Amino acid sequence: METGKGPASGPKKSPFTPKAVIYQKFGTKACYKVEEVQEVVKNGCPGLVIPQKGPCLYRCSLELPEFSVVSEAFRRKKDAEQSAAEKAIQKLGIQPKEDNLSVEQAWDELAGRLSYLFSIEFLSAIHPLSGHFRAALVREAHLNGFIPVAAIAAFDAKINSLCKYISSEMESNHLLVLSLIIEAAKKLADTLLFSEEKLSLKRLTPHPPEIIQSLLKNEPNVPESISISAVRIPSSAEKTVESVTLNTSSGNYYLDVIAKELGVKDASKVLISRTIGKASSETRLYFCAPEAIMVGPSSELSMKQASSFKGYVNTIATYLSGQEICGDAILASVGYTWKSTDLFYEDLSLRAYYRILANKIPSGIYKLSREAILAAELPTAFTTRSNWRGSYPRDILCTFCRQHRLSEPIFSSDSFEPLPDLPGRKRLRDTASGGNDTNEGGLAAAAVKQEECTLVHRCTVQIYSKCQDLILLCSPKESYKKQIDAIQNAALKVISWLDRFLDKVDMPVEEITSSAKGFDILIYPQHFVKEFTLCQFFPKYQWDNATPAGSFLCPGYSNVQNNTLEGELSFGMTPSSGSLMCVTYKIYLATERECIKEHLEGSEEFEFEIGSGAVSPVLEAVVSQMSINQSACFTMELPPKEIALAAARDSANVLSLLYSGTCLMKCEVTLLRVTVPLEDRMEQALFSPPLSKQRVEYALQHIGESCAASLVDFGCGSGSLLESLLAYQTSLEKIAGVDISQRALARAAKILHSKLNGNIEAEQPTNRIKSALLYDGSILTCDSRLCGYDIATCLEVIEHMEEHDACLFGDIVLSSFCPQILIVSTPNYEYNVILQNSTPQYQEEDPDEKSQQQSCKFRNHDHKFEWTRQQFGQWASELASRHNYGVEFSGVGGEPNKEPGFASQIAVFRRKDKSPVKADFTEHYDVIWEWSSRNNSRS
């Protein structure tokens, strides 16, 4: 749910939903019809007559025998259905039962419910439990007519609801419901027979023969023999999970078949878990009832003793179900449903089992949504909706909460007008936000004038337990121009931290709290630990198969061997962050000579965004070097067998190869297309060579003029500038780069190392570089190792910061790093009108952007600001004046004396004092990669 402000406490859940109330009165006579409606939204542009498409909404009409009602429009279908049911209840004048049943009333209703379940009327009903009653009529003589108490507890929701009023411990002690059913049955001793030995109930008066004959005649033609694939989960860690086959038939009760597979006499000794996975599924765990629960003089006392039975807890089954399970368990998808009297069943393979496990963690949920267990990774950033693939962070979080039986997360968003970051200066924002700032540069002033003020959005996330105890509160500091971006980014923070927590679930409470703070998350330890206690049993299969930071930064791939690429590597064409890559790939197991191959996963068209962490770093590193239609084949590290089985369809062949000890995992990939970011597409449409190359040539000019021997690139990203410099004869001997993205630094290290080594081996070297370093760190902090470089560059970086951080960066560089020359470039906002009018029509844009008519957007979704020439000039002049630097202005793309100036504006700062102040600060950066010509020479 999304609200303006979060409630002080969790929402209180009523015992019966409006739909449940309608069903109690009308049953199947109530007909719900949901239709999609389109909301027309205000476009924020006065005079624009083109209707703007709003979000997809749903409206429900409920048809009852006497009348019909129509709901309001809602974003979710189920909300529309509940609203229609609520309107019908109001029209009927029904007063729903309050959530205040006394214990005595609950006992009476429980006995009444049991009486109804054993009635002739219920026997012919379409209900998940009625199938068990019909199956009981054909059981063997001494079991004929007996219904296991465990089946009643598992398959009748109303029984469970009533038991909650009697004992609040029922939620944590699933065996307690059995004792309550037995106690209620004893009140019906004149109609029901309870067998302590069989732990089952039976009608004292048998059903009339004609009723039984009628039911048997109407039974569908069921195959004489049914084979159902299931999975055995052993309680012993020394045993492996294995597939089993359940053989049943029309004359057998399927619970008796499961009982024999578990090694007990009949269904009365079998306990049944909640549904596993989707609530609508029939996938459940079946396990033996320990001897301790056999009912004695006081059934309730015996059940409580059973709850403390710790003999041989099945940790994996316990984790999956959220209930304590002892001994071996059978995971099967079989049972009766609301839709038919037929026995429903479907095969459940090892692949399905491991996917159920993967669906318990956020990264696994994302991987499954992409159908890419081995290739996909949970992205580290939500950039744009148009570039995101797979389930959205909000949906992943909702799924996670359902999987762990938590309440639906509450998203609370606030809108506010941000304070200006630079005193006395109006800030230009994306007009999609409705900003009213004006531009004194002249050209774009009319384009950005709006009626309303700019608003930004911030979202908080609250997660409650089913008992409505607050366990987690995420309050991100970041604000966004769109509400949906605020919601998705807040959700991504939560699931990213939960993923890390589940990877190290046994950490101390203090460490849990501390790690959460790094994600702007506040943990309520008492309630949080209680809800996630069972997570300690989660198998550590390393579902997140990303290589640890640093290990993929070495010259060769640490986990990729025998990399072969068809054609030459396309160095110099490294895609920028935000590029959308589309590949076809397949991953398979093979013997060393590839005599045997076993397919694991693949896709004809698989898209991912460079730099967002949405794909395996190994795959991204390879694809980043490829040209369109180029193919590559490389060997990857073998994953744990459990992950391989989650991907594979033939588990037997995969296990055979893995156990052989001679197989490899290989990936074949072909790059189909690259969609560069909107900013790059706009620039390429108008400039030849592209602005990025023009900026490099501008830097080269100043390197040549100053005879600089050293250069540091602040915000080097994937090293595009440093890489380009290696192709020219310059005076540079030492180069360095700094960035906060280890993935980008990984790509930079790979390319720079290959090029520098190639330069040494060449007969005529193209450059004189003797050393190169890449640092992991923020350019808003100081490091003495970078003090006094001849030239520092910062090209198209500051606009990705907040304005106050851009000011801080300028002060730090000129006062602490003190380069002889600093070159800073940033987009000229006034040029955007020209760029955007030249954008090709085939480009893909964010759907939200398309829905808003705006004359001048920012060039990149990640830009926090874009300055006019006057704003940039004021910033640079004030900065130079404070630190005894001179500054001159220029640019690339466009003409200096022609409106609206350069597309990319550049400030060149020159230090007036030839000797910089000695650095007295510490080393804050980590050396990620280092290269020296001495260590890599041919000798």
Side-chain angles (χ1 to χ4, degrees):
M1 59 182 290
E2 292 157 23
T3 60
K5 292 187 177 180
S9 61
K12 192 172 184 180
K13 190 174 180 180
S14 59
F16 300 105
T17 64
K19 279 188 72 176
V21 174
I22 291 296
Y23 182 81
Q24 286 176 344
K25 184 170 180 63
F26 296 99
T28 56
K29 295 178 182 178
C31 180
Y32 295 87
K33 293 182 180 179
V34 179
E35 62 176 355
E36 187 176 322
V37 294
Q38 204 66 52
E39 182 183 36
V40 177
V41 297
K42 295 181 180 179
N43 52 50
C45 182
L48 184 65
V49 296
I50 303 173
Q52 300 297 293
K53 189 176 180 181
C56 182
L57 301 175
Y58 299 94
R59 183 178 291 124
C60 176
S61 61
L62 170 57
E63 296 179 3
L64 299 174
E66 301 171 4
F67 60 87
S68 62
V69 292
V70 179
S71 74
E72 304 296 332
F74 291 87
R75 289 194 176 187
R76 297 190 298 179
K77 293 181 181 179
K78 65 179 183 180
D79 291 340
E81 291 174 341
Q82 294 291 358
S83 173
E86 193 170 1
K87 283 193 171 187
I89 290 171
Q90 293 172 356
K91 196 165 184 178
L92 289 165
I94 297 176
Q95 295 297 325
K97 293 181 179 180
E98 298 293 331
D99 188 13
N100 58 357
L101 282 179
S102 65
V103 175
E104 292 75 14
Q105 289 173 324
W107 274 115
D108 291 340
E109 292 211 16
L110 181 58
R113 180 64 178 174
L114 280 175
S115 180
Y116 168 69
L117 293 178
F118 282 86
S119 67
I120 295 175
E121 179 187 356
F122 181 73
L123 192 61
S124 59
I126 298 180
H127 187 283
L129 189 57
S130 63
H132 291 261
F133 280 86
R134 291 188 293 273
L137 298 176
V138 296
R139 295 181 79 187
E140 296 176 4
H142 69 288
L143 296 173
N144 187 270
F146 275 106
I147 302 296
V149 175
I152 298 173
F155 299 110
D156 189 67
K158 189 167 184 179
I159 289 281
N160 281 272
S161 297
L162 292 169
C163 287
K164 290 176 184 177
Y165 292 109
I166 298 171
S167 174
S168 59
E169 298 178 16
M170 201 211 77
E171 195 70 33
S172 58
N173 180 3
H174 64 286
L175 294 174
L176 186 57
V177 67
L178 304 187
S179 70
L180 299 180
I181 292 172
I182 293 168
E183 290 295 330
K186 289 179 178 179
K187 297 181 179 180
L188 302 171
D190 55 337
T191 59
L192 297 182
L193 171 64
F194 169 63
S195 168
E196 292 185 4
E197 179 188 357
K198 300 179 178 65
L199 202 61
S200 302
L201 292 172
K202 178 181 180 179
R203 274 173 60 104
L204 275 177
T205 306
H207 289 293
E210 61 272 16
I211 296 294
I212 297 175
Q213 290 295 329
S214 174
L215 287 172
L216 293 178
K217 282 183 180 180
N218 293 329
E219 282 290 307
N221 293 322
V222 180
E224 290 188 5
S225 179
I226 301 172
S227 294
I228 306 170
S229 296
V231 172
R232 177 188 289 274
I233 305 173
S235 60
S236 172
E238 298 175 0
K239 298 180 180 179
T240 59
V241 177
E242 61 181 4
S243 292
V244 296
T245 301
L246 305 175
N247 293 309
T248 185
S249 66
S250 57
N252 287 338
Y253 183 29
Y254 79 89
L255 284 180
D256 286 333
V257 175
I258 292 175
K260 289 179 182 178
E261 184 65 40
L262 288 169
V264 293
K265 289 192 301 182
D266 57 66
S268 64
K269 305 300 188 292
V270 176
L271 298 181
I272 307 164
S273 77
R274 308 176 176 116
T275 55
I276 306 298
K278 293 182 179 179
S280 58
S281 77
E282 284 304 315
T283 304
R284 297 174 185 267
L285 285 161
Y286 301 85
F287 52 102
C288 296
E291 292 299 323
I293 75 161
M294 295 302 100
V295 179
S298 170
S299 60
E300 184 172 358
L301 176 62
S302 297
M303 289 299 169
K304 287 184 177 179
Q305 289 175 346
S307 70
S308 62
F309 180 82
K310 303 289 183 183
Y312 41 103
V313 175
N314 190 322
T315 55
I316 295 179
T318 296
Y319 172 73
L320 279 176
S321 66
Q323 302 165 309
E324 185 178 88
I325 292 179
C326 298
D328 290 0
I330 300 292
L331 182 67
S333 184
V334 57
Y336 298 97
T337 68
W338 288 95
K339 298 178 180 179
S340 171
T341 57
D342 299 357
L343 178 67
F344 166 85
Y345 62 91
E346 61 182 0
D347 290 335
L348 200 145
S349 62
L350 285 176
R351 179 176 187 259
Y353 162 72
Y354 286 113
R355 285 178 170 240
I356 289 172
L357 278 178
N359 207 40
K360 298 282 282 186
I361 60 173
S363 58
I365 297 170
Y366 178 77
K367 286 169 177 281
L368 291 172
S369 75
R370 298 227 60 193
E371 283 295 321
I373 293 286
L374 299 170
E377 299 289 343
L378 178 65
T380 55
F382 182 87
T383 53
T384 65
R385 293 180 69 190
S386 60
N387 276 12
W388 186 275
R389 298 295 182 269
S391 293
Y392 287 113
R394 182 189 186 280
D395 299 329
I396 294 173
L397 182 56
C398 291
T399 300
F400 176 85
C401 289
R402 287 192 290 270
Q403 289 288 333
H404 290 265
R405 296 175 179 84
L406 304 171
S407 294
E408 289 283 308
I410 298 173
F411 298 87
S412 309
S413 59
D414 272 330
S415 303
F416 56 93
E417 184 177 358
L419 295 174
D421 288 307
L422 297 180
R425 185 174 301 160
K426 292 185 177 180
R427 180 173 182 171
L428 286 173
R429 283 217 178 244
D430 190 337
T431 56
S433 304
N436 67 346
D437 297 322
T438 57
N439 177 1
E440 296 175 9
L443 182 69
V448 298
K449 189 174 181 180
Q450 296 288 325
E451 297 292 331
E452 301 173 358
C453 64
T454 299
L455 292 178
V456 294
H457 303 273
R458 188 176 289 151
C459 177
T460 61
V461 183
Q462 296 168 299
I463 298 180
Y464 290 85
S465 69
K466 284 293 185 183
C467 299
Q468 303 313 319
D469 295 319
L470 181 60
I471 64 174
L472 180 151
L473 172 65
C474 178
S475 304
K477 302 179 182 68
E478 298 86 359
S479 57
Y480 299 87
K481 300 169 190 174
K482 303 173 191 170
Q483 184 185 43
I484 189 63
D485 286 349
I487 291 171
Q488 299 292 359
N489 276 281
L492 182 58
K493 277 203 169 190
V494 176
I495 60 178
S496 297
W497 179 78
L498 286 170
D499 224 39
R500 293 196 182 189
F501 163 73
L502 291 170
D503 189 51
K504 193 180 177 183
V505 73
D506 55 350
M507 68 176 84
V509 173
E510 296 77 14
E511 190 176 342
I512 294 175
T513 306
S514 175
S515 67
K517 285 182 180 177
F519 289 79
D520 300 324
I521 294 174
L522 176 63
I523 294 298
Y524 294 81
Q526 181 180 355
H527 303 309
F528 183 86
V529 172
K530 176 183 175 183
E531 292 299 323
F532 288 95
T533 298
L534 292 177
C535 290
Q536 63 184 302
F537 301 135
F538 181 72
K540 297 297 187 295
Y541 296 145
Q542 297 179 341
W543 293 103
D544 183 358
N545 56 30
T547 312
S551 66
F552 56 85
L553 299 178
C554 55
Y557 295 136
S558 62
N559 55 352
V560 179
Q561 303 88 30
N562 306 324
N563 182 33
T564 60
L565 206 60
E566 294 180 5
E568 296 184 1
L569 296 179
S570 52
F571 289 122
M573 299 297 291
T574 304
S576 59
S577 292
S579 295
L580 199 61
M581 316 293 281
C582 182
V583 302
T584 178
Y585 81 95
K586 60 179 178 180
I587 299 175
Y588 57 90
L589 293 177
T591 54
E592 290 183 0
R593 295 183 180 179
E594 296 200 10
C595 300
I596 303 175
K597 287 185 179 182
E598 184 60 40
H599 178 80
L600 293 178
E601 75 175 34
S603 174
E604 291 299 318
E605 286 201 0
F606 183 78
E607 291 186 317
F608 63 92
E609 181 181 357
I610 287 287
S612 68
V615 74
S616 162
V618 176
L619 182 57
E620 181 173 317
V622 173
V623 173
S624 296
Q625 302 171 51
M626 296 167 62
S627 299
I628 294 175
N629 294 326
Q630 194 174 27
S631 299
C633 178
F634 55 93
T635 304
M636 304 173 70
E637 263 187 10
L638 280 174
K641 70 178 179 65
E642 294 81 6
I643 295 179
L645 290 171
R649 295 191 178 275
D650 192 328
S651 57
N653 286 350
V654 168
L655 286 173
S656 175
L657 280 170
L658 290 174
Y659 288 145
S660 71
T662 60
C663 75
L664 305 169
M665 186 167 79
K666 293 194 172 184
C667 177
E668 294 178 3
V669 60
T670 301
L671 180 59
L672 301 179
R673 61 179 178 271
V674 179
T675 306
V676 298
L678 181 62
E679 178 182 13
D680 294 350
R681 278 177 277 169
M682 289 189 295
E683 293 181 353
Q684 290 172 9
L686 198 62
F687 301 102
S688 181
L691 283 183
S692 57
K693 187 172 182 180
Q694 291 188 42
R695 286 189 287 266
V696 172
E697 292 173 346
Y698 186 91
L700 282 168
Q701 176 188 339
H702 284 273
I703 293 169
E705 290 176 356
S706 62
C707 297
S710 58
L711 178 144
V712 56
D713 187 20
F714 291 108
C716 66
S718 300
S720 57
L721 172 63
L722 299 177
E723 176 194 354
S724 300
L725 293 175
L726 301 183
Y728 295 89
Q729 283 284 359
T730 67
S731 55
L732 290 175
E733 297 180 354
K734 181 179 181 181
I735 58 174
V738 185
D739 206 276
I740 59 173
S741 170
Q742 288 196 350
R743 291 182 184 274
L745 290 169
R747 295 195 295 272
K750 172 64 181 175
I751 294 170
L752 291 176
H753 186 93
S754 180
K755 276 209 162 186
L756 287 167
N757 280 351
N759 184 67
I760 290 178
E761 296 169 1
E763 294 183 4
Q764 295 182 341
T766 57
N767 61 69
R768 295 160 49 183
I769 302 297
K770 296 179 179 178
S771 70
L773 294 104
L774 292 177
Y775 294 96
D776 175 22
S778 168
I779 59 177
L780 299 179
T781 56
C782 305
D783 191 299
S784 58
R785 290 168 292 185
L786 295 180
C787 180
Y789 270 64
D790 293 334
I791 286 188
T793 55
C794 184
L795 306 184
E796 309 296 293
V797 173
I798 62 171
E799 63 273 8
H800 295 271
M801 312 174 184
E802 295 293 343
E803 283 184 296
H804 60 82
D805 287 334
C807 293
L808 176 61
F809 163 73
D811 287 329
I812 288 174
V813 172
L814 298 188
S815 66
S816 301
F817 292 119
C818 307
Q820 289 284 351
I821 297 173
L822 170 65
I823 303 175
V824 178
S825 76
T826 190
N828 173 12
Y829 181 80
E830 298 167 78
Y831 209 95
N832 288 2
V833 172
I834 295 176
L835 284 175
Q836 290 164 21
N837 285 342
S838 70
T839 306
Q841 294 301 310
Y842 58 80
Q843 70 179 27
E844 296 179 12
E845 297 184 24
D846 190 321
D848 287 342
E849 298 287 0
K850 287 182 177 179
S851 67
Q852 303 182 53
Q853 297 297 314
Q854 53 187 30
S855 54
C856 206
K857 298 180 294 190
F858 283 179
R859 298 184 197 178
N860 189 301
H861 64 84
D862 191 48
H863 287 184
K864 302 300 188 296
F865 66 86
E866 288 182 3
W867 280 334
T868 63
R869 287 168 290 172
Q870 182 186 15
Q871 290 175 320
F872 182 57
Q874 183 180 342
W875 171 80
S877 298
E878 293 174 357
L879 187 63
S881 177
R882 285 198 299 273
H883 301 288
N884 197 28
Y885 272 76
V887 63
E888 59 189 52
F889 298 96
S890 185
V892 294
E895 300 178 28
N897 300 318
K898 185 177 179 181
E899 291 294 331
F902 292 108
S904 187
Q905 49 191 344
I906 299 176
V908 181
F909 301 84
R910 298 181 187 275
R911 196 175 70 229
K912 296 178 180 178
D913 181 4
K914 297 300 180 182
S915 56
V917 178
K918 186 177 180 181
D920 58 355
F921 42 87
T922 58
E923 300 176 355
H924 290 100
Y925 298 162
D926 294 325
V927 176
I928 289 296
W929 171 81
E930 185 172 6
W931 181 91
S932 170
S933 59
R934 292 181 180 178
N935 298 333
N936 292 274
S937 62
R938 281 178 288 186
S939 60

